[in-house]
Amino acid sequence: MCKNRVRTVLSVLFLLALLFPLEGLPQKKILILHSYNIGYVCADLIAMGMRSVFQEYTRDIEVYEEYCDTKRYPPDFVFPHIRQLLRSKYKGNPPDVVVTSDDNALDFALG
């Protein structure tokens, strides 16, 4: 009987530890950089797939998403504007990881 109680208490504590992150540990920040725009079917499906994967870890990570809109505007035109925006926007709160979707976002991240 005592073994079952100990097991139950340990199981509950383990589940609580999984559900609530330890205080003081910072969340990891992930920036998802999309090549295209919201409403472009391919970009929407990729974003939905990425979000579904990251949802499992929402207590451990904070996800930011940015769209380069390179279907409507050429990369040579839009990249300098995006670079300035992202520098300003994330200056005090940089992401730990940048994930790209499609080739233009990857080109931007590598450039």
Side-chain angles (χ1 to χ4, degrees):
M1 177 107 150
C2 188
K3 282 185 179 180
N4 287 338
R5 280 189 187 170
V6 169
R7 222 178 262 164
T8 302
V9 168
L10 289 175
S11 297
V12 168
L13 290 174
F14 178 73
L15 289 173
L16 287 173
L18 290 175
L19 293 173
F20 301 101
L22 296 174
E23 289 298 316
L25 291 179
Q27 284 186 313
K28 295 297 180 188
K29 294 174 278 304
I30 296 177
L31 171 60
I32 302 174
L33 189 60
H34 299 283
S35 291
Y36 308 124
N37 54 290
I38 296 173
Y40 184 70
V41 176
C42 179
D44 291 345
L45 292 174
I46 291 170
M48 190 169 49
M50 287 182 173
R51 279 189 226 108
S52 74
V53 171
F54 291 135
Q55 278 179 340
E56 295 180 38
Y57 304 99
T58 54
R59 70 181 186 285
D60 299 321
I61 63 170
E62 191 171 1
V63 178
Y64 299 87
E65 292 184 75
E66 302 289 345
Y67 290 82
C68 293
D69 206 8
T70 59
K71 276 293 181 196
R72 295 188 278 200
Y73 303 99
D76 292 341
F77 170 76
V78 77
F79 282 0
H81 299 287
I82 294 169
R83 185 167 284 109
Q84 183 59 41
L85 172 68
L86 295 181
R87 278 187 184 141
S88 298
K89 192 171 183 179
Y90 296 103
K91 182 178 182 181
N93 189 27
D96 297 296
V97 175
V98 176
V99 178
T100 61
S101 69
D102 221 311
D103 57 339
N104 287 340
L106 179 61
D107 291 343
F108 173 81
L110 294 176

